[in-house]
Amino acid sequence: MARLAFVLACALALLASSVASGAIVEHSFNVNNLTVTRLCQNQSITVVNESYPGPTIYAREGDTLIIHVLNQSPYNITIHWHGIFQLLSVWADGPSYVTQCPIPPGQSYTYKFNITGQEGTLWWHAHISWLRATVHGALIIHPKAGRSFPFPKPAKEVPIILGDWYNGNVVDIEQDGLSKGIAPNLSNAYTINGLPGDLYDCSQNQTYQLSVVGGKTYLLRLINAALNTVLFFKIANHSMTVVAIDASYTTPYVTDVVVIAPGQTTDVLVKFNQLNGSYYMAATPYASADATAVGFDNSTTRGIIVYKGYTSSTPIMPPMPNPSDTPLANKFFTNLTGFPGGPHWVPVPREVDEHMFVTVGVNLAMCPENATCQAIFNSRLSASMNNESFVTPTNMSMLEAHFNNVSGVYTRDFPNEPPIKFDYTDTNLSLDLSLIFAPKSTKVKTLKFNSTVQLVYQNTAFLAIENHPMHIHGFNFHVLAQGFGNYDPINDPKKFNFVNPQVRNTIGVPVGGWAVIRFQANNPGIWFVHCHLDVHLPWGLAMAFEVENGGTPESTLPPPPPDLPKC
């Protein structure tokens, strides 16, 4: 009997260890081209597993993901796991030429990483050129077995991926804009789960439809995968309760509209308690920039929610916001708060080791010799952070250079503040030739392991004032405050929320305004920081953090995997 008890105890211990360490979740991603029909024409697009959007990955907190990527497309490819911390697995983060060289056509690479201290809605996408327009999918992280959501269990969970559609090859569209030095063509439609909806030509039968049971509450996991557009999202006659953003729980917030920037996710509970019927869900652009200065795709995508048992074919349409309704967008973004005491809540670090003030915005670059540039002043459009316009290396990834201590790939002198102080939001300076040209460089800011960083993002009025969604790889951050105009270092800190600030990985810096974030650099490696408007990324609106090792095996970057692609 004693031996039986011992064996049973060992078995239970092994089971507990297995549950604690999580499961292995393994997928194969075959990247190839697929011809689909949208907006009256056939179009070849790059996809994963012949699916647009790509497959949804489901995992639990603590699981290890192993994703085998075989590139059968004609383009170089990388995959980024947007919002995953990648603790000691930065080699799997995915931004091209930052943490890895791209996977060439015909070759493969295996991404392997653990999901530590995270649950909620994230997503994966290509991180090279504009391929993420069609190479993307949801990454849903459930609580560990035996744990539950910090809200009533929904009857069903539904990923809702908001995207955009281009009539043409997105790689060619991007390259055409870059070659001319101007903004590329605008999108031709927005999409819900890959379908444009019945307001677009030839799209009557390409409208996403969701069947619901009256009286039940559903969890809609919203993801903005659009390349360049912040979106308003509404459901006719239904309110939504926001319970998480960027895989971080929030204090429940009831709203009839969600504002979501490229890269962001928002989880909402919707109780379908209206009369049996059919209702449109719809998304339209929030165009923060002056429409006369920056064009945008002013159209609407919509899907249909149908109560089971209802047969009418005339859905109710919600009234949609004006595309330039900045007060509405600001109300949504600033009313969100964190959920202290909830799963994975981390209090705000109070002692700051590194203070940074970083201007972000669109700039100009000189036209190369023997080139034709069509931007203003015969120049080409550019972008910068602290007047440094980022250029990715081409012969080696920055992470490899960091690990092997190779010089000449990047420099460690990214400035803590802009080189010249001026009235950053004064539109009279928007074409000041002494300010709007930024040098090209590949610079990082080096951080001590476990140091706390406070970063003030300050939008500028150069060329076009707009909302910039800024994403930091490898970390979540607390949003302490945000506002319009120039950041006031004397009075604005009085507004800091140290009690329940929202926690994000992507922050929409208000149009003509600022945002203050704070995070702890507890993850060694090279971490990309960039605007998630893909029109601005190749222009240079980016930089990187180089986080040093911490001196212990648990805080030291491991060597690269043997199949890491080479440049």
Side-chain angles (χ1 to χ4, degrees), residues 187-237:
S187 61
N188 298 98
Y190 301 109
T191 58
I192 297 176
N193 287 342
L195 299 172
D198 55 9
L199 288 176
Y200 297 101
D201 291 341
C202 305
S203 301
Q204 201 66 33
N205 296 322
Q206 293 191 336
T207 302
Y208 175 73
Q209 187 163 310
L210 174 63
S211 177
V212 301
V213 176
K216 299 291 187 180
T217 297
Y218 286 56
L219 177 63
L220 303 186
R221 298 180 177 272
L222 306 178
I223 299 167
N224 187 347
L227 291 185
N228 295 306
T229 308
V230 184
L231 293 166
F232 292 114
F233 177 84
K234 297 187 74 172
I235 302 174
N237 290 13

Side-chain angles (χ1 to χ4, degrees), residues 9 35 149 157 159 163 177 244 344 409 442 474 497 505-506 512 528:
T35 298
F149 298 124
E157 303 173 35
H344 310 299
V409 177
T442 308
N497 179 357
N505 61 56
T506 306
F528 204 28

Side-chain angles (χ1 to χ4, degrees), residues 95-96 98 127 356 358-363 382-392 398 414-415 438-445 457 468-473 527-533 536-545:
S96 57
V98 178
H127 211 300
M356 300 182 69
V358 179
T359 55
V360 296
V362 178
N363 297 83
S382 181
S384 70
M385 298 176 67
N386 273 356
N387 205 49
E388 296 289 343
S389 187
F390 184 85
V391 179
T392 55
M398 298 173 69
F414 183 85
K440 298 291 183 180
S441 63
T442 308
K443 296 187 176 184
V444 305
K445 166 67 177 178
Y457 284 119
H468 285 104
M470 300 301 299
H471 173 47
I472 298 182
H473 290 223
W527 302 104
F528 204 28
V529 182
H530 64 94
C531 180
H532 224 275
L533 299 178
H536 293 159
L537 180 52
W539 293 351
L541 214 169
M543 55 86 68
F545 286 120

Side-chain angles (χ1 to χ4, degrees), residues 209 211-212 275-279 304-316:
Q209 187 163 310
S211 177
V212 301
L275 294 175
N276 267 4
S278 59
Y279 303 85
I304 301 173
I305 296 173
V306 181
Y307 281 58
K308 285 188 176 179
Y310 188 71
T311 57
S312 172
S313 59
T314 309
I316 298 172

Side-chain angles (χ1 to χ4, degrees), residues 111-450:
Y111 293 90
K112 182 178 180 179
F113 53 91
N114 184 262
I115 299 173
T116 305
Q118 295 183 274
E119 58 189 70
T121 304
L122 295 173
W123 63 302
W124 57 266
H125 61 79
H127 211 300
I128 186 169
S129 69
W130 274 20
L131 287 174
R132 81 169 174 88
T134 53
V135 179
H136 61 250
L139 201 174
I140 309 301
I141 307 168
H142 284 111
K144 284 185 176 181
R147 298 183 183 176
S148 59
F149 298 124
F151 47 79
K153 183 179 180 180
K156 189 175 183 180
E157 303 173 35
V158 184
I160 302 291
I161 300 180
L162 307 175
D164 46 14
W165 177 263
Y166 291 80
N167 283 337
N169 182 300
V170 291
V171 174
D172 294 342
I173 290 172
E174 181 195 26
Q175 288 303 314
D176 181 63
L178 291 174
S179 67
K180 297 174 181 175
I182 59 175
N185 289 347
L186 300 174
S187 61
N188 298 98
Y190 301 109
T191 58
I192 297 176
N193 287 342
L195 299 172
D198 55 9
L199 288 176
Y200 297 101
D201 291 341
C202 305
S203 301
Q204 201 66 33
N205 296 322
Q206 293 191 336
T207 302
Y208 175 73
Q209 187 163 310
L210 174 63
S211 177
V212 301
V213 176
K216 299 291 187 180
T217 297
Y218 286 56
L219 177 63
L220 303 186
R221 298 180 177 272
L222 306 178
I223 299 167
N224 187 347
L227 291 185
N228 295 306
T229 308
V230 184
L231 293 166
F232 292 114
F233 177 84
K234 297 187 74 172
I235 302 174
N237 290 13
H238 291 76
S239 63
M240 298 171 280
T241 301
V242 178
V243 292
I245 53 175
D246 292 358
S248 296
Y249 292 113
T250 62
T251 302
Y253 172 59
V254 179
T255 179
D256 69 342
V257 60
V258 166
V259 191
I260 184 167
Q264 292 182 337
T265 70
T266 304
D267 291 0
V268 296
L269 293 174
V270 183
K271 187 170 185 179
F272 291 105
N273 56 1
Q274 299 300 301
L275 294 175
N276 267 4
S278 59
Y279 303 85
Y280 279 116
M281 64 173 91
T284 56
Y286 164 47
S288 59
D290 182 353
T292 61
V294 178
F296 67 99
D297 173 7
N298 189 11
S299 64
T300 301
T301 180
R302 59 189 188 182
I304 301 173
I305 296 173
V306 181
Y307 281 58
K308 285 188 176 179
Y310 188 71
T311 57
S312 172
S313 59
T314 309
I316 298 172
M317 179 67 184
M320 300 306 291
N322 186 296
S324 60
D325 197 340
T326 289
L328 179 62
N330 185 63
K331 176 185 176 182
F332 176 83
F333 284 134
T334 56
N335 277 358
L336 299 171
T337 55
F339 191 40
H344 310 299
W345 170 257
V346 176
V348 182
R350 300 305 290 264
E351 299 295 326
V352 177
D353 302 298
E354 295 279 358
H355 287 270
M356 300 182 69
F357 181 89
V358 179
T359 55
V360 296
V362 178
N363 297 83
L364 294 177
M366 299 298 292
C367 190
E369 193 173 347
N370 300 322
T372 301
C373 300
Q374 299 180 13
I376 190 172
F377 305 131
N378 190 35
S379 61
R380 58 177 56 233
L381 293 175
S382 181
S384 70
M385 298 176 67
N386 273 356
N387 205 49
E388 296 289 343
S389 187
F390 184 85
V391 179
T392 55
T394 56
N395 296 323
M396 176 182 289
S397 77
M398 298 173 69
L399 185 59
E400 287 178 279
H402 164 79
F403 184 82
N404 295 307
N405 198 26
V406 177
S407 61
V409 177
Y410 62 85
T411 60
R412 295 181 171 92
D413 54 347
F414 183 85
N416 280 349
E417 58 186 27
I420 300 174
K421 293 181 173 61
F422 58 96
D423 186 347
Y424 306 110
T425 56
D426 182 359
T427 55
N428 293 320
L429 301 178
S430 63
L431 295 177
D432 188 322
L433 296 182
S434 68
L435 296 172
I436 61 176
F437 286 90
K440 298 291 183 180
S441 63
T442 308
K443 296 187 176 184
V444 305
K445 166 67 177 178
T446 301
L447 301 174
K448 294 290 185 184
F449 180 81
N450 239 15

